[in-house]
């Protein structure tokens, strides 16, 4: 027999601040968003699925002593960072808001969610076609990589050169014909592309680079100087994390018997099913059935989708004694899909066939909830592969139904999926859907 050796977690670049300092910086970037999230959470019914209504904007500005523009920007950031979630017309605190002052990891994940959504935070210049904007967004990771590898200021001309090269590569990969006289897109048979076309493309790239750099600066990922840009410690760390594809290891399962349900479930998150069930049994054996089931369901009602799924896995180990309590939560929308699957398996259905008990809407809601768990705690590859589990069969149908299902994490899930997917065309469609949900458009 051989012992499987695991790759040690890579160390961040020399000079990277400790996580506590990075979290402090992230809290500073999102300070106004946190204030607005607390205000929205304490004022039921103030939230809307579209940007804040004028009368709500005025009340928030007066209460928080901020300008309406600051409130609007903070509201958008709070939603994108998972600090608030919208349920119908009511804003509720997201799980990150409740953990904000005590959990540095939650803070950093919230900031990374905002970082991934930079193109939603900072509106693209008016008058530029959506395809050009999408190309720039797809090229930005290469720009960020250059900034990270340079470990210091990089001149704007160097960044512009890289952006132009990457955009040209994207267009070549798609076999797109440049617009201009003589191109099929214009229908002009006059001849080859006019000499002015390269200059027009260069001007457009310069405008899009300025927009991208301003958007990344707006979320605290970089600073802009006279003719150069530099990653902030937060931005440098985030790009390094994405390049290295670091997954934070879950805590050891040892000692979970004494932990709360939430900590126990987190400790078991990366265990295989067999060892996880053993851990659940040990934890349950130290408690009365009633108190254990109540604690697991309380965790399932929280905002962390990973813990929701794991709580029902632990309830499967409980078995028959949990059945009345599981049946009692069928009226709760966030728990209903999980409870239906639990009951179907409890009643003897094959786990592979249990999905048939879910309506189309319930299955879509569960897909988004599971995607939220993967986005928060998993690898980007898992999020991409999660597409194959959707019941819709096609990405356009999935996006249509995801937009309609009203899950509070829809925007964040779509932004994360667009950032992770290797297919530029599909990523563009997903990013457009995220924008439509974020703005309340169609």
């Amino acid at each position: 027999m051989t012992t499987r050796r695991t790759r040690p977690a890579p160390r961040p670049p020399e000079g990277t601040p400790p996580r506590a300092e990075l979290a402090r910086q992230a809290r500073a970037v999102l300070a106004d968003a946190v204030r607005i999230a607390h205000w929205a959470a304490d004022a039921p019914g103030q939230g809307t699925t579209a940007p804040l209504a004028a009368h709500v904007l005025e009340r928030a500005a007066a209460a928080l002593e901020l300008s309406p523009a600051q409130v609007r920007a903070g509201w958008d950031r709070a939603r994108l960072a998972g600090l608030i979630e919208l349920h119908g017309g009511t804003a509720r605190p997201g799980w990150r808001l409740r953990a904000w002052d005590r959990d540095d990891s939650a803070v950093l994940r919230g900031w990374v969610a905002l970082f991934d959504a930079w193109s939603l935070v900072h509106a693209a210049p008016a008058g530029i076609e959506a395809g050009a904007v999408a190309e720039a967004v797809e090229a930005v990771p290469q720009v960020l990589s250059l900034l990270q590898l340079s470990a210091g200021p990089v001149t704007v001309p160097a960044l512009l050169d890289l952006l132009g090269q990457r955009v040209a590569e994207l267009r070549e990969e798609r076999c797109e014909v440049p617009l201009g006289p003589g191109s099929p897109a214009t229908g002009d048979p006059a001849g080859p592309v006019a000499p002015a076309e390269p200059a027009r493309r260069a001007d457009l790239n310069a405008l899009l680079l300025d927009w991208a750099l301003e958007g990344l600066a707006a979320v605290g990922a970089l600073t802009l100087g006279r003719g150069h840009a530099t990653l902030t410690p937060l931005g440098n760390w985030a790009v390094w994390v994405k390049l290295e594809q670091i997954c934070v290891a879950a805590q050891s399962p040892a000692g979970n018997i004494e932990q709360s349900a939430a900590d126990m479930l987190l400790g078991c998150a990366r265990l295989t099913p067999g060892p996880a069930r053993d851990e659940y049994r040990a934890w349950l054996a130290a408690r009365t059935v009633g108190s254990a089931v109540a604690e697991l369901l309380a965790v399932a009602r929280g905002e962390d989708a990973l813990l929701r799924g794991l709580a029902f896995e632990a309830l499967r180990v409980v078995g028959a004694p949990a059945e009345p309590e599981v049946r009692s939560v069928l009226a709760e929308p966030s728990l209903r899909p999980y409870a239906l699957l639990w009951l179907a398996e409890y009643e003897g259905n094959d786990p592979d066939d249990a999905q048939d008990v879910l309506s189309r809407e319930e299955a879509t809601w569960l897909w988004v909830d599971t995607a939220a768990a993967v986005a928060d705690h998993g690898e980007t590859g898992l999020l991409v592969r999660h597409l194959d589990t959707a019941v819709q069969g096609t990405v356009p149908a999935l996006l249509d139904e995801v937009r309609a299902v009203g899950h509070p994490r829809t925007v964040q899930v779509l932004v994360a999926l667009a950032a992770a997917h290797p297919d530029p065309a599909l990523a563009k469609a997903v990013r457009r859907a995220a924008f439509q949900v974020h703005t309340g458009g169609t």
Side-chain angles (χ1 to χ4, degrees), residues 134-415:
E135 288 172 349
V137 172
E138 292 170 31
V140 160
Q142 280 69 34
V143 172
L144 289 169
S145 296
L146 175 60
L147 285 162
Q148 197 271 337
L149 292 171
S150 299
V154 179
T155 64
V156 170
L159 297 174
L160 182 58
D161 184 57
L162 178 61
L163 180 77
Q165 290 180 35
R166 182 57 184 148
V167 168
E169 290 171 359
L170 292 170
R171 295 172 66 85
E172 184 177 351
E173 288 168 5
R174 296 169 192 165
C175 301
E176 293 183 2
V177 178
L179 295 178
S183 72
T186 63
D188 186 347
V193 175
E197 172 60 23
R200 187 177 73 85
R201 168 58 64 178
D203 290 343
L204 178 60
N205 286 343
L207 182 61
L208 288 168
L209 177 65
D210 287 344
W211 165 65
L213 294 179
E214 289 168 2
L216 291 163
V219 299
L222 54 79
T223 57
L224 298 176
R226 294 180 63 86
H228 65 265
T230 310
L231 285 177
T232 64
L234 266 178
N236 187 67
W237 168 80
V239 176
W240 171 77
V241 167
K242 289 180 179 297
L243 290 173
E244 294 292 335
Q245 297 183 338
I246 290 175
C247 297
V248 178
Q251 68 183 44
S252 167
N256 280 336
I257 191 172
E258 299 176 2
Q259 302 297 323
S260 67
D263 290 340
M264 180 273 295
L265 293 171
L266 281 175
C268 297
R270 294 190 182 276
L271 297 179
T272 55
R277 283 192 293 270
D278 291 340
E279 198 69 16
Y280 299 152
R281 291 188 185 97
W283 185 85
L284 291 164
R287 290 156 179 81
T288 63
V289 172
S291 65
V293 171
E295 191 174 350
L296 289 169
L297 287 175
V299 171
R301 291 187 178 95
E303 306 302 330
D304 192 329
L306 174 68
L307 295 186
R308 184 160 29 255
L310 292 175
F312 276 86
E313 288 298 323
L315 288 168
R316 285 178 171 82
V317 174
V318 178
E323 188 264 343
E325 292 299 320
V326 171
R327 196 173 295 280
S328 72
V329 304
L330 287 173
E332 300 181 38
S334 65
L335 301 187
R336 179 175 174 81
Y338 293 94
L340 286 171
L341 292 176
W342 191 97
L343 290 167
E345 293 182 31
Y346 171 70
E347 292 167 359
N349 291 318
D350 188 290
D352 292 336
D353 299 329
Q355 292 279 346
D356 294 341
V357 304
L358 302 180
S359 68
R360 182 90 163 201
E361 184 178 8
E362 289 162 350
T364 303
W365 195 100
L366 183 61
W367 186 92
V368 179
D369 207 46
T370 305
V374 175
D376 282 342
H377 302 278
E379 303 177 47
T380 56
L382 290 177
L383 189 59
V384 173
R385 291 195 292 275
H386 185 55
L387 268 177
D388 296 334
T389 68
V391 298
Q392 284 76 13
T394 67
V395 172
L398 171 64
L399 294 179
D400 286 340
E401 296 188 32
V402 163
R403 285 197 295 262
V405 79
H407 193 290
R409 296 289 303 281
T410 297
V411 172
Q412 293 169 49
V413 164
L414 293 178
V415 167

